[in-house]
Structure formats: structure tokens, C-alpha cells
Amino acid sequence: MAGIRAENIRKIFGTYEALKSVSLEVADREFTVLLGPSGCGKTTLLRIIAGLETQTSGEIRIGDRNVSGLPPRRRGIAMVFQNYAVFPHLTVFENVAFGLRMKRATADEIDRKVRRAAAMMHIEQLLERYPSQLSGGQRQRVAVARALAVEPEVLLMDEPLSNLDALLRMEMRAELKGLLQETRTTTIYVTHDQVEAMSLADRIAVMHGGRIVQYDRPIRVYQDPATAFCGGFIGSPPMNFIRTQPVEGGGYRIGGAAFPGPAAPAGEILFGIRPEDLIVEPESGPGLIDAEVGVVEPLGPHLLLTVRIDGQPARVTAAPDLDIRVGETIHLRPGPGRIRWFDPATDQAIREPA
Amino acid sequence: MPKERLLAYLLLAPSVLFLLVFFAWPFAEAFIVALQVRGEWSLGNFATMARDINFAPALRNTMLLILVIVPLQVMLALSMAMLLTRIRRQRDLVLYIWTIPLGISDLAAGIVWLALLSEQGYINTVLDALGLIEGPTLWLSYERPVALFVAVVAAELWRATAIVLVILVAGVQLIPREYGEAAEVFGAGAWQRFRRITLPLLKPSLQSALILRTILALEVFAVVVAISGRDLTVLMGEAYFWQNDYRDAGVASAYAVLILGISIACTLFFLRALRVREETEMR
Amino acid sequence: MTIQRWLILAAVLVLCLWVLLPIYLIVVSAFGPRDAVFAWPKSFWPVDFTTETVAFFFGAQGVLSGLLNSILVALMTMVMAIALGAPAGYALARFAFPGKNVYRLLVLMTRAFPIPVLAVPLTVRFIEFGLYDTLLGVALVHTALALPFAVLITSSLFLGIPRELEEAAWTLGCTRLQAFRRVVMPLAMPGLAATAIFAFIVSWNEVFAATILSLENRTLTAFLISVLGESPLYFKFAGGFFLIVPALVFIFAIRKYLFSLWGIASR
């Protein structure tokens, strides 16, 4: 087992800078998720750590070794690929045994380790089959078993669940979580699915435009996004942002309600709040935001309301039994301690002076 | 990544060297040999070539063959490709049968058609039964140049339509079914769909097919020799006779240069005439 | 069934006959008695099945050695075309490097030329280097003919094998070479075999260069065309039949790959 350290990794493809001096430290036995939209550099970073791509500058350390110039086979890693990359000409057994055979393990050891990895992924009954006889979910299991069989110091996973259908993905997610809690292998997991990230990660590294913009525990990333981008990318529906200017005498007015807040950097500020942190109140009152209802979507567990606050769009989740009509004005109470402020120019969160 | 780049060049090097030695160099050599008579630079070989009584007919026949065979073949292959889209059962079998000639050499094709067209051959038997001729008739002789020409055309059509067919069928498969269906929804009939959807989208494939077929038609040689001996002359045949029978590499190379020149001209012509605009490319 | 469907069916059948009937008739000719070629009117059914003509054909001087030479030249062509073409195809499929498009253009360009005609200038040098009238000399020109196809075909073949499979092998402890041997090769094998057969047919069928570059050591095609003028008809027909047989077998063997082979090769 080993931790991973990436130091000032830059990657330039031709004239395009895919990674802009990224540093990342993953502790031993930690599960880190690289989360971001496509093109943010998360897969590039993972492939550099794997040794499949060479960084333009910077250093990769796994455990106490500098592995920067080493080929993948000497890095003590195993990887699970987005398209599984299960070898179609080998049986499931031979697929799982592949890495062990490359290490010249004895026949006994191979048999034992393959059966153990297969048991962990519940594919014991498939060992003699060829990949073409397997479903997508089963192939995924083979790919994970193949990676676990070599007992790597570090496990790298590149969007491993993205090709599965929604139901299967949820099932595999839970299973992976249980499994990795058991094996405690240091893991870096790339995904663009924020639910997956929230569910699996010890820590999430949110990537955007070739940078890591926040690296923290999931709940912190959710509740205290470091940038407006993080708040908008994580959460469904995403965090609401209302652009506003300070009023005379300090503070801000949002939808008719006055709120204290930090100083606006360039005369403007973003007021941010999550949809579920706006509580619909029956009567107007002080401190309540007035919002005009545009669309009402009954989703079952809650109502999703699309409203306008000071002419700007926002989303609110409300109890499913509330009788809310389009065109009506509702009154929203922000949950205590849930308001966040951002600088519209730099995207950065502005902390209120405590 | 410099290491990968080095590997790439190492992998390419053998084929590049080979093509330089056995393609680029003889290409240049053809000009050198053609332009030298006994070690002196001269147009003598070309003059000899042009004065030869077989030159004019060879040039004429080659061009005529291209003009007749290529359009016929493309039309036939296009019809076959369209027929293939209309049959459901046994499509693979039909396709296999239609592509059998891919593996048949021009020499073999010539011999096959010789068997069909010989004096006491199968085609005469049929013509006789139909009352069109009386008894065995000699078609393949120098006295019947038109018959010789038609026989060569038939043999080439039989042998080499398959290659055009394969290119076109591959092209048709690239066209998404939805385009035709969309056109149908908007009221286009079968012919209109062919004219307005299939044909324009098939242009890249048609271009490939035309270039390839024209080059192959320029190479026509063994078919002609098998069917007519030297009674029907073609450029490639003359290059062969000058090299093989007269042992005159200079004049043979002059023919080679002429054939290369015509092939370049044809390729350029088709590239221009059927220019494919980037935005209509489907890939 | 509508009239239209009947018409389509009829057209398809006619075109099948158009391809198959001549082949059938050459078979009938090759397995008929020798004097059957002068029989009138011709019978479309095999009469007096006999191997007499075929036996005469193989007994003729030059036929057996020609057959052997054809096979040897085709095998050499096959080996050289794959050995030179497959690495290049792999490089085209896997690497990005300056000059890639120039190379691709060079390869594509060769298609715009009747390569056999290059045998004419080559004879002069081949005599100098002692390659004239050798099987290797003919095989070299045939390789020039088949190589561009081999490069393009194998390149698309390797492109069809996901890069991730190779990367997975690397992460599981393989060197580049090991990953190629254990993962890429087995997957590419059927396609490579088809490519090899393609190269074999290209060589087997080639007449012009084979004739120009040889005198005594002739391939079957070169031998046949040089004696065609003096041969009796039944000899020619038997020859035609034996030229076609391997073609039929090979086309059948690689029918699954026909499109990737000829389709790509002609793009």
C-alpha cells in the first residue's frame, strides 16, 4: 500500500495546456475521486499517474518512489478502463490471471488469487467464459477483478461505471464502495458523475479548466464550494446564484429581503444557495425572499419549482403536497447558515468574516 | 514523446525504403531509360515508338477501352449495389457470388472468354440455336476488330466489375438509412432518392472506383493477348512486346512513361471533376 | 410478391448466372475430352467426364515448374508484404508523428500508377544485380504491388483493436513487445491472415511483371502467356481452370474480410 503524490504536473498537447501545474496528494488507503466536466483534464491526470501519458513537467511519486519516468508496468498500479478493456481472446480466468502471469506467479498462486478476486466480484461461475458471452456489467466485474488480482499498491479507475445503464450503475457503485472499504487499496477514481463522486469518495478533487479547484471531503465540497463552478457542477439541481449589488448602509437585498454579507469586490457579488435550502413559507414576512413561480414539476419525492428572483432564474425544491400555481409569488426562507457568497469576476467563494 | 516517435519511424522505415527502391526509383529510371539511346540523351525512343505501325492503334484501342469499359462497369456495379439494398434473404450469398471475379486474373478471364467465343464455342452454339448464325463462326480474328474489341470488353466487364462493386457497396453501407427514410417521408420516390440522396453521398466512393478502374483499364494486357494474340494492340501489350520480344528496353520504357503519364492525367482529372467538398464528407 | 420484387429477383439471378456460367463452362471444358473443344454444337452438360485434358496439361513441359514457381513467388510476396507492411500499418494506427500524412499520401499515391509497368525499367538493373530471371526478383515487384495495400489494410486492422487493450496489458506488467505479442497479435491474426492471402492472390494473378522479369524461371501465368500463341485450345482451357481454382478457394476463405480488404484497399 502506498500514497500518491503528484507535484506541479503540467501537460501540453501541441498548443493546448491540458493541465496547468496540478498538485494532488492522496494518502495511503484513501479513495480520491477526480470530478469534473469533460475536457477538464481529469483523465489526462489519471493517465499521467498510470504512466500511459508523459507529463510535460512535474513529478509523480507513488509511496516513496519517484515513478515519473517509469513505464506503467513498473509503477505498482492497476487500472480499470472506461470500456473495460477486457481481452476478448482470453477467458475470464485468463483475463484475471493476466497480471499474475506477467509477474511469473506460480500456478498455485495464480489459481488462488484469481479465485479470490473472482469471488470478491461474484464472477466465480463465469471463469471459463469468453468476454463476448458476458453482459456489460459482467465485463465490468472482470475488469475490476483483473485489477484487484495483482494486489496493486494503487488502483486507478477511469470512469468505470459510465458505460453501464442507470440501474446497474447504482448497484455496482454500492458494491464497489463495500469492496474497496474492505480491501483498503489506495484508489484514484475519475468520473464526471457527481453522485458517484459523493457516494464513493473519501475526498473529491474537483477539476475545472486543467486545475484542481477544490480538494476536500464530499460534504464540504457540497456545502462549501470553493468556487461558483463547484457549486454549479455538484448537486442536482445545481446551486442557485443571484447576482446583486450592495445597498446603501451595507448588506444586500435579494427578492425584497435584506441580508448582511461580505464586501462586494468590484461592486457586484453572487448570492449562492442550494435549492433544498430555500424553504417555502405560507406567509410573507421579514427575511423572506419573494419569488415568482414559472414552472412547477411534480417529481414525486418533491416539487421542483423554477422561479424568478429579482428577474433571475432559480430552482427550489418544495414539499410534494404544497399547492403552488404558476404565476403565484412564493416566500422563501434561506436555511440558517446556508448562504454562500462568490466573486463574479474570479468565481472564488468569499468567506464572511466570522 | 520522442521515444514513441522514434519507434514509429523505425516501424515505417522498412516500407519506406522498399517503396523508394521498388517504386520511386524505377519510376525515375523509366524516364532515364526512355530518354537515352546508347548512353546519349535523346528522344529517339519516343520517335521509334511513335513511328511504329502498332503505336497509333494501340493508343486508340487503349483509350477506347477505357472510355467504353469504365462507364459500363460503374453503371453495372451501381445497379448491382442498388439491387443488393433491395434483397433481404441470401444477400451474403449473392454478394459472395458477385465478388468471385475479384480473385480471377486477367489472363484467366481472357482464357475463359476465349472458351466462350471460340469458333465451336458456347456462344456460337447459342447463336446458332437462335438462328442468328449458321454453323461455327470465327469471331476472334484480325479480320473482325470489332468482335475482338467487344470480346475484350465483355471479359473485362465480367472480371473487374466486382472491384467497383465492392467499393460502391462499402460506400452505400456508410450512408445512414435515415437519410433515405427522411427523403421518403418528404415524398421522394425511389428514383429521386437515388438521384438526390444516394448518388451525391456516394461521390467519394465513385471517385475511388473511377480512379482505380481507369488505372486497371490502362493495365489491360493479358486479357487482350489471351483473346486476340497481337491482333488487337494496346499500350501495355506493346510495352511487353518491345521488352520481351524485341529486347528494346528504351522503347518499352517510352511506353511505360506514356502509360504513367496517362494514369497521372486521369487521376488528376477525376480528383478535380469529382471534387468532394469537406462538409459533405460523412467521416 | 409484387411485379417489382419479381423483377429484382430476376435481375439478381441473371447477374449471378453472368458470373457463374463462364466459370462453369471452363470447368466443363477442362474436364471434357481433348477433342471436345472442336465438338459442334457444344453441349452445356458435362459429357464424358475425363481427366485426360488435365493430365495432358500437367504433363506439358513447364507447367509443374510454373505452378511451383507461382506458389513460391506468391509465398515470398506474402511474407515480404506482411513483414514490411504490418509494422507500418501499426505505426499509422497507433502513433502521431510528423510526416504521417506525407507517408500516407505516398502509399495512396502508388495506387494511382500501374505498378507492373515499372518492371520495364527494373529489368536493366535486375540484370546488373543478378535478380533477373529469379523468383526473388519477381516477388520483389509483386511486393511493391501488394505492400501499399498491406499497409492500409493492416493499419485499419490495428485501428480496430482498441488502444485500451494494449494499455491494460501495460498496466498489468507487459512491455510494449509483450503487449503486442499477447494481446494485439492474437486479435489481429485473422485479419493478418486475410491480408496475407490477399497478397498471395495479387502475386498469383500478376502476369506482366512476371513475364518481363523472367526467361526460364517462369511463374504459371508468365509461362502460360508466353506459350499461349502455340498452344491448342484445350491446353489453354485447362490452364484457365487452374488459374481460377485457387482464386475461388481463397475468395471463399476470406469472404468475411472481402470488404475490409478490397473496400479499404481501394479507398
Side-chain angles (χ1 to χ4, degrees), chain C residues 77-106:
Chain C
T77 304
M78 189 169 112
V79 170
M80 285 193 285
I82 294 286
L84 295 166
Y90 182 79
L92 282 186
R94 283 290 188 267
F95 301 113
F97 51 90
K100 186 169 173 171
N101 285 330
V102 176
Y103 179 83
R104 206 191 285 274
L105 202 68
L106 172 79

Side-chain angles (χ1 to χ4, degrees), chain B residues 11-29:
Chain B
L11 291 172
L12 285 187
S15 62
V16 171
L17 273 175
F18 189 91
L19 284 178
L20 283 179
V21 174
F22 290 99
F23 176 71
W25 182 58
F27 194 90
E29 188 94 349

Side-chain angles (χ1 to χ4, degrees), chain A residues 31-346:
Chain A
F31 193 123
T32 287
V33 170
L34 297 181
L35 173 68
S38 58
C40 71
K42 57 190 191 297
T43 293
T44 306
L45 180 58
L46 188 80
R47 289 171 58 83
I48 287 174
I49 293 169
L52 295 171
E53 208 87 60
T54 311
Q55 64 275 28
T56 308
S57 65
E59 228 178 68
I60 303 286
R61 307 186 70 87
I62 293 178
D64 48 9
R65 296 186 303 149
N66 180 354
V67 298
S68 303
L70 297 181
R73 66 177 189 281
R74 301 242 202 88
R75 294 196 175 197
I77 54 149
M79 186 156 166
V80 178
F81 291 80
Q82 185 172 5
N83 300 316
Y84 322 141
V86 173
F87 304 128
H89 60 299
L90 300 178
T91 60
V92 170
F93 184 96
E94 282 305 319
N95 260 286
V96 179
F98 193 92
L100 298 166
R101 290 210 190 282
M102 295 315 297
K103 285 182 173 169
R104 302 186 184 285
T106 63
D108 277 358
E109 192 185 351
I110 289 174
D111 195 66
R112 188 166 46 80
K113 289 187 173 173
V114 167
R115 287 189 195 284
R116 203 181 63 190
M120 279 197 272
M121 293 313 295
H122 309 295
I123 50 170
E124 305 101 310
Q125 74 288 2
L126 302 177
L127 285 175
E128 299 315 315
R129 300 238 194 125
Y130 281 91
S132 61
Q133 301 163 297
L134 304 181
S135 68
Q138 289 170 327
R139 280 181 220 190
Q140 181 56 61
R141 286 167 186 277
V142 176
V144 177
R146 182 176 67 181
L148 291 175
V150 296
E151 291 163 5
E153 290 179 16
V154 163
L155 182 60
L156 305 174
M157 304 179 108
D158 184 10
E159 309 223 16
L161 303 183
S162 66
N163 283 356
L164 301 178
D165 63 55
L167 208 63
L168 205 54
R169 195 181 315 171
M170 207 148 80
E171 197 184 303
M172 274 298 280
R173 192 174 74 204
E175 212 176 304
L176 267 185
K177 178 154 190 166
L179 185 75
L180 290 164
Q181 270 168 352
E182 203 178 305
T183 61
R184 305 285 286 150
T185 310
T186 312
T187 304
I188 300 185
Y189 183 109
V190 163
T191 182
H192 63 266
D193 181 337
Q194 38 111 5
V195 181
E196 231 167 86
M198 294 292 294
S199 135
L200 292 170
D202 292 328
R203 276 196 287 174
I204 298 178
V206 184
M207 292 192 67
H208 182 45
R211 288 200 171 84
I212 292 179
V213 287
Q214 188 169 13
Y215 185 32
D216 213 333
R217 288 182 297 117
I219 193 66
R220 295 272 301 157
V221 173
Y222 187 80
Q223 289 185 341
D224 274 311
T227 66
F229 168 81
C230 293
F233 189 75
I234 298 168
S236 173
M239 188 176 242
N240 296 305
F241 299 102
I242 308 292
R243 188 181 284 263
T244 187
Q245 290 94 28
V247 291
E248 250 173 271
Y252 302 90
R253 284 193 87 80
I254 314 280
F259 295 99
E268 268 200 331
I269 201 162
L270 288 176
F271 165 91
I273 190 154
R274 293 217 170 261
E276 67 273 22
D277 292 333
L278 286 167
I279 297 122
V280 182
E281 296 286 345
E283 299 290 330
S284 179
L288 294 194
I289 299 169
D290 290 339
E292 193 192 325
V293 178
V295 181
V296 180
E297 297 168 74
L299 297 183
H302 56 254
L303 289 180
L304 179 59
L305 312 176
T306 305
V307 301
R308 296 191 86 79
I309 298 171
D310 294 340
Q312 299 176 50
R315 292 235 169 74
V316 179
T317 51
D321 48 358
L322 281 181
D323 179 28
I324 294 173
R325 304 264 161 90
V326 171
E328 148 183 19
T329 298
I330 53 172
H331 316 288
L332 304 168
R333 177 187 305 283
R338 296 299 197 200
I339 296 171
R340 299 290 178 268
W341 303 94
F342 299 90
D343 179 348
T346 64

Side-chain angles (χ1 to χ4, degrees), chain C:
Chain C
M1 248 206 274
T2 61
I3 293 175
Q4 200 195 10
R5 289 217 53 83
W6 279 108
L7 280 177
I8 289 173
L9 193 70
V12 169
L13 283 178
V14 166
L15 285 166
C16 287
L17 277 181
W18 152 255
V19 170
L20 291 178
L21 199 57
I23 296 176
Y24 165 73
L25 292 175
I26 197 97
V27 174
V28 171
S29 301
F31 286 98
R34 269 191 266 174
D35 47 10
V37 292
F38 304 113
W40 178 265
K42 273 273 179 309
S43 165
F44 280 77
W45 307 112
V47 275
D48 310 334
F49 174 86
T50 164
T51 51
E52 175 197 0
T53 307
V54 174
F56 174 79
F57 175 74
F58 277 110
Q61 193 168 12
V63 169
L64 273 182
S65 67
L67 192 66
L68 186 66
N69 287 344
S70 267
I71 292 172
L72 286 175
V73 168
L75 285 177
M76 281 193 265
T77 304
M78 189 169 112
V79 170
M80 285 193 285
I82 294 286
L84 295 166
Y90 182 79
L92 282 186
R94 283 290 188 267
F95 301 113
F97 51 90
K100 186 169 173 171
N101 285 330
V102 176
Y103 179 83
R104 206 191 285 274
L105 202 68
L106 172 79
V107 169
L108 283 173
M109 222 178 60
T110 59
R111 269 186 33 227
F113 299 102
I115 289 177
V117 85
L118 295 176
V120 172
L122 272 175
T123 44
V124 183
R125 297 292 165 186
F126 271 26
I127 292 170
E128 263 177 50
F129 292 114
L131 280 169
Y132 181 75
D133 200 23
T134 64
L135 298 182
L136 179 63
V138 175
L140 284 170
V141 175
H142 287 179
T143 304
L145 202 60
L147 180 58
F149 293 86
V151 171
L152 296 176
I153 296 164
T154 52
S155 135
S156 83
L157 196 64
F158 290 129
L159 264 181
I161 298 171
R163 181 193 297 261
E164 282 190 347
L165 290 182
E166 250 177 295
E167 291 179 343
W170 300 342
T171 62
L172 290 167
C174 285
T175 62
R176 244 181 205 287
L177 194 64
Q178 284 173 321
F180 184 83
R181 255 201 24 239
R182 290 173 161 262
V183 175
V184 180
M185 267 300 266
L187 293 172
M189 217 45 222
L192 283 179
T195 312
I197 290 175
F198 178 90
F200 190 98
I201 300 181
V202 165
S203 166
W204 175 269
N205 281 343
E206 206 282 329
V207 188
F208 187 87
T211 316
I212 292 270
L213 291 172
S214 64
L215 201 59
E216 301 290 325
N217 290 311
R218 301 223 128 150
T219 64
L220 189 59
T221 50
F223 168 74
L224 279 178
I225 201 156
S226 61
V227 301
L228 218 48
E230 305 93 61
S231 309
L233 276 179
Y234 53 84
F235 181 82
K236 296 184 189 179
F237 296 164
F241 172 72
F242 278 99
L243 284 179
I244 289 179
V245 170
L248 292 183
V249 175
F250 286 151
I251 289 283
F252 185 74
I254 61 174
R255 64 194 181 289
K256 253 177 61 191
Y257 290 88
L258 275 181
F259 278 88
S260 28
L261 286 173
W262 269 272
I264 292 156
S266 353
R267 203 143 277 285

Side-chain angles (χ1 to χ4, degrees), chain B:
Chain B
M1 200 146 133
K3 220 173 19 178
E4 289 215 330
R5 204 171 282 174
L6 189 70
L7 181 59
Y9 290 138
L10 272 174
L11 291 172
L12 285 187
S15 62
V16 171
L17 273 175
F18 189 91
L19 284 178
L20 283 179
V21 174
F22 290 99
F23 176 71
W25 182 58
F27 194 90
E29 188 94 349
F31 285 82
I32 295 168
V33 177
L35 287 168
Q36 283 186 342
V37 179
R38 276 177 236 95
E40 304 273 317
W41 292 100
S42 148
L43 287 172
N45 290 320
F46 287 93
T48 310
M49 171 177 87
R51 269 199 311 272
D52 188 73
I53 53 159
N54 283 323
F55 173 72
L59 184 59
R60 196 195 58 220
N61 289 336
T62 304
M63 296 319 258
L64 269 178
L65 278 174
I66 293 176
L67 284 177
V68 173
I69 293 173
V70 175
L72 277 179
Q73 240 162 20
V74 171
M75 277 190 289
L76 182 59
L78 207 51
S79 318
M80 290 163 103
M82 288 299 117
L83 281 175
L84 275 176
T85 63
R86 303 296 292 272
I87 55 178
R88 273 165 245 133
R89 268 177 307 157
Q90 300 298 328
R91 184 179 172 278
D92 289 345
L93 178 68
V94 170
L95 194 56
Y96 169 64
I97 291 174
W98 286 358
T99 47
I100 283 175
L102 279 178
I104 294 177
S105 67
D106 48 350
L107 178 59
I111 293 174
V112 167
W113 282 82
L114 186 67
L116 297 179
L117 287 163
S118 66
E119 212 173 335
Q120 287 99 354
Y122 292 99
I123 289 181
N124 276 347
T125 301
V126 173
L127 291 177
D128 184 75
L130 293 173
L132 294 172
I133 56 168
E134 287 194 16
T137 309
L138 182 62
W139 295 107
L140 304 178
S141 93
Y142 67 98
E143 288 163 1
R144 294 185 189 264
V146 176
L148 284 178
F149 188 85
V150 171
V152 171
V153 169
E156 275 295 280
L157 216 53
W158 179 70
R159 175 184 76 93
T161 302
I163 180 80
V164 185
L165 175 69
V166 168
I167 299 172
L168 293 185
V169 169
V172 169
Q173 280 170 347
L174 284 177
I175 302 175
R177 213 166 246 291
E178 291 77 33
Y179 292 174
E181 287 167 355
E184 201 171 355
V185 168
F186 287 112
W191 173 250
Q192 281 172 312
R193 290 204 299 276
F194 173 72
R195 269 284 294 119
R196 297 183 180 274
I197 309 287
T198 312
L199 212 49
L201 289 173
L202 217 46
K203 224 159 92 173
S205 306
L206 277 172
Q207 190 183 51
S208 301
L210 281 170
I211 292 175
L212 196 79
R213 260 319 294 160
T214 308
I215 305 300
L216 288 177
L218 267 174
E219 282 180 34
V220 161
F221 158 66
V223 173
V224 181
V225 173
I227 288 180
S228 80
R230 207 181 171 184
D231 292 335
L232 188 77
T233 55
V234 288
L235 290 177
M236 200 73 169
E238 289 311 298
Y240 166 76
F241 289 119
W242 278 93
Q243 177 73 39
N244 210 49
D245 294 5
Y246 312 155
R247 300 275 145 196
D248 189 331
V251 178
S253 293
Y255 272 105
V257 166
L258 181 67
I259 292 167
L260 290 172
I262 296 174
S263 61
I264 296 170
C266 290
T267 303
L268 290 179
F269 170 75
F270 285 126
L271 285 178
R272 272 199 78 77
L274 286 171
R275 219 170 345 187
V276 183
R277 278 180 302 143
E278 290 263 331
E279 60 267 33
T280 57
E281 284 244 35
M282 282 175 301
R283 278 146 293 171

